Amino acid sequence: MQRIGLISDTHGLLRPEALAALRGCDHLIHAGDIGKPEILTELARLAPLTAVRGNNDTAPWVAELPEQTWLELDGVRIYVLHDLAELTPDGPAGAARVVVSGHSHRPQVVLRDGLLLVNPGSAGPRRFKLPVSVGELWLAAGGVSAHIRPLLLA
């Protein structure tokens, strides 16, 4: 069984609570609006990292990051993008089992027509009264489940 850590919308703030929640993951995915390159450096110390840039990631250092990407882990195809609104039914995510996105700061896990849509919410600065959270994918024998982990802030 693999545990995949999901994080998004850090906006330059990598909370110690987020690092603690993601420690021990087999792989990490950052779904954009990173804010600072040091965040990716710190996350990559925990596990292999896949990241995409978000609409607020405009600094020169993010030019090397894709806007959307694919990965396959434990036989599960995962599509990563920042804004779920950019997902089209006939687009490149068509063969995915899981789509990981961010942008809205609203954590959610939704199964739609056999496609698991996961937004880990925002792990960075609190926005409105939305929770601060990360997410997890659990992969085993081609099966997948997802969970949101609200962060208890000190």
Side-chain angles (χ1 to χ4, degrees):
M1 179 175 287
Q2 286 194 54
R3 178 175 163 239
I4 312 305
L6 310 176
I7 188 168
S8 187
D9 296 280
T10 47
H11 292 278
L13 174 62
L14 186 57
R15 297 172 181 273
E17 297 88 351
L19 283 171
L22 297 172
R23 196 163 280 115
C25 287
D26 297 296
H27 196 97
L28 298 174
I29 296 173
H30 195 305
D33 279 356
I34 301 155
K36 295 180 182 175
E38 296 84 8
I39 289 175
L40 297 182
T41 302
E42 286 297 312
L43 291 172
R45 287 185 181 139
L46 297 179
L49 174 66
T50 299
V52 296
R53 66 181 183 261
N55 59 298
N56 288 305
D57 291 323
T58 57
W61 66 268
V62 297
E64 66 189 47
L65 295 177
E67 290 181 10
Q68 303 174 8
T69 194
W70 279 102
L71 65 154
E72 187 167 330
L73 299 169
D74 204 18
V76 176
R77 290 193 56 129
I78 302 166
Y79 191 69
V80 185
L81 75 165
H82 181 62
D83 187 351
L84 190 60
E86 296 176 5
L87 187 69
T88 57
D90 57 347
R97 286 258 320 272
V98 179
V99 173
V100 176
S101 66
H103 187 63
S104 71
H105 293 230
R106 289 178 177 18
Q108 76 169 5
V109 176
V110 175
L111 185 61
R112 185 183 305 154
D113 299 324
L115 183 62
L116 186 60
L117 305 172
V118 184
N119 183 329
S122 172
R126 186 181 299 275
R127 183 176 179 199
F128 309 116
K129 293 185 179 183
L130 295 171
V132 177
S133 59
V134 296
E136 298 173 326
L137 288 177
W138 290 90
L139 310 177
V144 62
S145 63
H147 307 280
I148 301 299
R149 290 191 59 181
L151 300 178
L152 300 174
L153 305 178

